[in-house]
Amino acid sequence: MFNFEFYNPTRVIFGKGQIDKLHSQISKDAKVLILYGGGSVKKFGTLDMVKKSLKDRKIVEFGGIEPNPRYETLMKAVDIVKKEDIDFLLALGGGSVIDGTKFINLAANYTGNNKAELLTNPKAVASITKGLPIGTVLTLPATGSEMNMGAVVSYKSGKFPVFSPLSFPRFSILDPTITYTLPLTQVANGIVDTFIHTVEQYVTYPAEGRFQDRTAEGILQTLIEIGKKTIDNPKDYDARANLVWCATMGLNGLIGAGVPQDWTTHTMGHELTALFGIDHGKTLAILQPAIWSVRKDKKRDKLIQYAERVWGITEENDDLKIDLAIEKTREFFESLGIKTRLSDYGLTSDKIDLVVSNLENHGHTNISETGDLTLSISREILEKAM
Ligand code: NZQ
Ligand code: ZN
């Protein structure tokens, strides 16, 4: 196992009706900026519940954070944070709103003039020494943003991950019933996103991270058990509660501590979202089977372990085991209603050049857990994903 530091300061407040506890988590004299997306929280009453719980605190609202939040939108909120002298940021939404809120906080506290450099320069991010406290009310289980220090921001033709310990939410309220109103395709996206976060930290090469491996396998098996169930019965509380908890635990630092991590699927997926607007979860479902097919040899030992322990495949022949595991993974995504080929989204092979040149422009020329996944291998993966 590799050396590691594990730090996670986010308080999780989980379960039905827990939004009532919101008022106890924020100082009484704080001026709160509530941030949300395109309006689902208004339509389904979550914003009203939040305001009720905040009682007579001073509140300012900022709505309109779009999926795959754009830098320009977020900068409008940075102005409000300053002008209104805000003391607390409360994000109400899925990954996009939570990530957007994290970036707004960093940009508002960055002393440099060009805030866009925070997207590409980790040293600029590290120079920020203080931020406002952030709280979240999660409405979409998927990204794990509610309990991690990452944020992904869209700018020009790219998506940029930004990491800072200042971005850990102070608390996150996870009420599975708030997610009942999600369109089923978003629930499916969330299941796939959680699945891929887990395998990006698990299907790499053996590193004697036994706890990490067994925990990852537990998350994957839980998703396989409850995935279709929570789509077919959106109001099955226990199925949904298990999805929410898996999503949070899949990307809060726990299973990735001390083991190799890949992130090829995410790196390539971000380019597909940036170029063609395909939902984050769907890009991952398209790429993962193709990546494993192309990288079978590099990932051989862990793919065999994945086949045996997650899918219970008992074939004698190891190559067959791997092929069956890849096929079962694809079938699982398809069973949730998510298509797994680029052509299913109307893309033709003449678009591959564009994706490869975007990867190159963003410096993704040597990715994966071994740093040897070059542009020509990315091209092969994209061809396989057609
Ligand atoms: O905007 P509103 O009107 O709220 O509608 C949203 C949005 O259209 C809707 N929605 C959310 N909760 C709902 C709801 N509709 C009905 N009922 C509810 N309860 O769902 C749509 C999608 O929301 P979004 O926040 O974009 O989805 P998701 O949570 O999948 O977030 C995706 C973003 O997170 C980033 C992705 O790159 C993408 O930008 N990621 C962030 C990560 C992190 N911070 O660690 C890691 C991930 O790998 C990912 O990259
Ligand atoms: Zn993801």
Side-chain angles (χ1 to χ4, degrees):
M1 201 187 306
F2 306 159
N3 291 356
F4 66 88
E5 272 185 36
F6 177 74
Y7 170 72
N8 196 311
T10 304
R11 178 189 303 275
V12 173
I13 305 174
F14 192 104
K16 285 178 197 162
Q18 292 285 43
I19 230 171
D20 293 346
K21 295 207 178 131
L22 188 56
H23 75 97
S24 67
Q25 297 301 313
I26 302 177
S27 143
K28 288 208 168 45
D29 41 14
K31 188 170 184 185
V32 181
L33 178 61
I34 304 180
L35 302 109
Y36 52 88
S40 72
V41 296
K42 279 191 171 163
K43 188 170 166 195
F44 299 114
T46 315
L47 182 60
D48 286 343
M49 283 195 280
V50 162
K51 284 184 179 168
K52 199 171 147 222
S53 182
L54 288 176
K55 298 185 177 152
D56 45 12
R57 283 180 186 79
K58 283 185 217 124
I59 286 172
V60 180
E61 288 180 33
F62 182 82
I65 299 178
E66 60 279 83
N68 309 303
R70 295 212 63 86
Y71 173 81
E72 293 78 7
T73 307
L74 305 176
M75 291 313 289
K76 291 181 193 155
V78 171
D79 292 338
I80 297 174
V81 170
K82 289 183 183 158
K83 259 189 226 139
E84 297 281 347
D85 209 8
I86 297 294
D87 319 286
F88 197 97
L89 301 172
L90 182 61
L92 207 50
S96 295
V97 173
I98 300 175
D99 285 8
T101 302
K102 291 173 175 180
F103 188 76
I104 290 162
N105 193 24
L106 293 174
N109 288 286
Y110 179 53
T111 49
N113 290 329
N114 177 13
K115 313 284 186 195
E117 68 192 9
L118 294 172
L119 299 171
T120 48
N121 181 357
K123 280 196 187 137
V125 178
S127 75
I128 307 169
T129 51
K130 63 172 180 54
L132 294 176
I134 296 174
T136 89
V137 175
L138 181 74
T139 65
L140 196 171
T143 63
S145 189
E146 65 278 8
M147 200 180 177
N148 69 34
M149 61 169 185
V152 184
V153 175
S154 299
Y155 183 59
K156 297 188 177 160
S157 66
K159 289 188 75 180
F160 299 89
V162 179
F163 300 95
S164 164
L166 295 168
S167 292
F168 277 113
R170 189 148 305 177
F171 67 84
S172 282
I173 296 185
L174 276 49
D175 177 345
T177 66
I178 288 180
T179 75
Y180 286 172
T181 55
L182 278 166
L184 295 181
T185 190
Q186 292 295 347
V187 180
N189 285 346
I191 296 165
V192 173
D193 197 15
T194 305
F195 199 97
I196 304 297
H197 293 156
T198 309
V199 297
E200 297 252 46
Q201 301 166 88
Y202 164 68
V203 181
T204 55
Y205 56 86
E208 281 293 326
R210 289 171 183 258
F211 164 80
Q212 296 89 324
D213 278 8
R214 300 270 185 205
T215 309
E217 288 153 4
I219 293 174
L220 296 172
Q221 287 186 312
T222 306
L223 293 172
I224 293 163
E225 271 169 26
I226 55 91
K228 185 139 174 39
K229 198 170 173 193
T230 195
I231 287 188
D232 292 345
N233 308 290
K235 294 196 175 167
D236 178 329
Y237 179 78
D238 288 315
R240 188 57 59 92
N242 276 288
L243 170 58
V244 173
W245 194 220
C246 282
T248 304
M249 295 304 285
L251 196 55
N252 67 354
L254 183 73
I255 61 171
V259 296
Q261 303 190 13
D262 183 346
W263 302 110
T264 296
T265 319
H266 273 72
T267 305
M268 295 182 67
H270 286 331
E271 304 299 358
L272 295 179
T273 302
L275 287 169
F276 312 113
I278 304 173
D279 288 350
H280 174 63
K282 297 189 173 77
T283 66
L284 308 174
I286 295 167
L287 291 165
Q288 193 63 74
I291 289 171
W292 282 345
S293 298
V294 171
R295 300 286 280 180
K296 253 184 223 177
D297 293 340
K298 288 267 163 194
K299 292 177 177 289
R300 187 173 176 84
D301 292 344
K302 290 307 276 289
L303 275 172
I304 293 169
Q305 181 178 327
Y306 167 72
E308 289 171 349
R309 294 203 200 162
V310 175
W311 292 105
I313 296 170
T314 53
E315 304 291 329
E316 283 286 309
N317 180 307
D318 283 343
D319 292 312
L320 192 57
K321 257 185 210 160
I322 292 174
D323 290 345
L324 278 173
I326 297 173
E327 209 37 55
K328 280 191 174 291
T329 309
R330 185 190 295 283
E331 280 167 15
F332 175 58
F333 298 157
E334 297 264 353
S335 78
L336 306 173
I338 302 242
K339 297 277 183 228
T340 56
R341 303 223 176 246
L342 280 170
S343 53
D344 294 324
Y345 297 84
L347 261 64
T348 41
S349 35
D350 56 317
K351 297 287 188 300
I352 290 178
D353 282 346
L354 202 56
V355 183
V356 174
S357 72
N358 247 32
L359 283 165
E360 185 170 20
N361 293 340
H362 296 139
H364 303 311
T365 50
N366 284 92
I367 52 177
S368 88
E369 68 273 32
T370 41
D372 58 352
L373 201 155
T374 57
L375 291 177
S376 71
I377 304 175
S378 289
R379 179 180 294 281
E380 195 184 337
I381 289 166
L382 291 162
E383 279 160 4
K384 194 136 212 134
M386 280 313 299

